[in-house]
Amino acid sequence: MRILVTNDDGIYSPGIMALATAATKFGEVRVVAPDVEQSSMGHAITATRPLHYKKSPITFEGIEAYRVNGTPADCVALGSHLWSKVDVVLSGINMGLNLGNSMWHSGTLAGAKQAVLLGMRGIALSTPAGNTEPDFKKLETWVEKALAALLENPELDLVNVNFPPEPKGMQWTRQSVRQYDGQVVPGTDPMGRKHYWFTVVPLEPADEGTDRWAVENGYVSITPLRLDLTNESQLMKALQKQPMPA
Ligand code: MN
């Protein structure tokens, strides 16, 4: 199995090192990742300037690694162009959870989505980052368990995985969709200029069975996703009740 590993925290993140190392147990691994952090860039692609790659100076033991001046989606497109017959793209391990509404702007998940757009499978993996760096050594066995479970099931083409700091099990989940209070908080920088922080405050607790609920309760959350955003029930209703003028 050919496994391309990317992320959005950049190639120097300890999270991608942990993921690439775990991936070597499952197949042939190559790392192609952004040269600088691309968190919250979503599914952006670079279309107005050329992309370049360079061999990474840091040691991924026995793993070829390349850094790209682009986004996670760029890395997947370029990586799979230069290294043919990639079966699966692993994206992460992100330092920061990607649950619920954060899937909309996650660069980590975009790496996995781009894989599916290009005919490969994609798995995004994330864990919370608090005041201290995540303990990837502690997560190692759970990362391997999750990869073993997902890689052996080829029907799962797009999956979002989130690890709590100390997992006690794994759960299949659905995306948590709840209301947020999106706030832009003004402040002043040291030069006296106004600046703004973007924050989101959840207004409702997470429902049981959702990704957020699982992680809050100590479980590794595994959510199968799809690219088709069509609202089927609304489409059916609209087709029946509101025919468009010819
Ligand atoms: Mn990130």
Side-chain angles (χ1 to χ4, degrees):
M1 182 179 289
R2 279 201 166 179
I3 304 170
L4 183 69
V5 177
T6 194
N7 74 347
D8 78 357
D9 292 336
I11 197 164
Y12 306 111
S13 166
I16 196 168
M17 177 74 89
L19 181 56
T21 307
T24 55
K25 303 210 166 155
F26 300 92
E28 208 184 337
V29 178
R30 190 178 282 194
V31 171
V32 181
D35 55 0
V36 294
E37 184 170 357
Q38 298 284 332
S39 290
S40 297
M41 291 299 166
H43 208 134
I45 56 164
T46 302
T48 54
R49 60 171 174 82
L51 294 168
H52 299 280
Y53 69 89
K54 286 183 179 155
K55 203 159 178 36
S56 170
I58 62 160
T59 325
F60 282 81
E61 250 162 273
I63 305 170
E64 275 186 58
Y66 301 90
R67 64 189 199 273
V68 175
N69 61 336
T71 65
D74 292 333
C75 291
V76 171
L78 186 59
S80 60
H81 172 76
L82 296 169
W83 196 38
S84 61
K85 296 187 181 133
V86 170
D87 297 288
V88 59
V89 172
L90 304 180
S91 184
I93 300 170
N94 188 58
M95 304 219 304
L97 291 166
N98 278 307
L99 301 165
N101 76 323
S102 55
M103 289 192 209
W104 290 101
H105 49 254
S106 167
T108 306
L109 185 56
K113 288 189 296 174
Q114 182 71 3
V116 178
L117 284 176
L118 296 173
M120 299 168 281
R121 299 170 63 201
I123 301 171
L125 306 99
S126 308
T127 196
N131 295 329
T132 54
E133 263 181 22
D135 186 345
F136 290 107
K137 197 77 203 152
K138 225 181 222 174
L139 284 181
E140 196 177 279
T141 55
W142 288 100
V143 173
E144 286 173 18
K145 271 187 210 183
L147 289 179
L150 297 174
L151 291 175
E152 74 171 23
N153 184 349
E155 276 188 13
L156 293 168
D157 62 341
L158 180 59
V159 188
N160 189 33
V161 185
N162 283 272
F163 299 91
E166 291 183 45
K168 58 185 184 193
M170 298 199 285
Q171 298 235 333
W172 294 107
T173 58
R174 60 193 161 80
Q175 181 183 13
S176 162
V177 178
R178 59 180 181 177
Q179 298 299 309
Y180 288 81
D181 186 7
Q183 291 183 336
V184 178
V185 181
T188 311
D189 77 7
M191 316 293 275
R193 298 171 297 202
K194 270 214 153 174
H195 63 196
Y196 301 88
W197 279 103
F198 184 77
T199 65
V200 286
V201 182
L203 296 175
E204 299 153 1
D207 289 330
E208 192 168 339
T210 62
D211 51 7
R212 189 173 299 281
W213 181 90
V215 170
E216 281 174 3
N217 286 278
Y219 294 100
V220 179
S221 162
I222 303 186
T223 311
L225 300 174
R226 61 177 184 183
L227 292 181
D228 184 351
L229 297 177
T230 311
N231 185 327
E232 297 288 348
S233 64
Q234 285 188 13
L235 175 62
M236 290 312 290
K237 269 188 220 163
L239 284 169
Q240 285 161 11
K241 288 188 186 167
Q242 221 179 318
M244 289 296 178

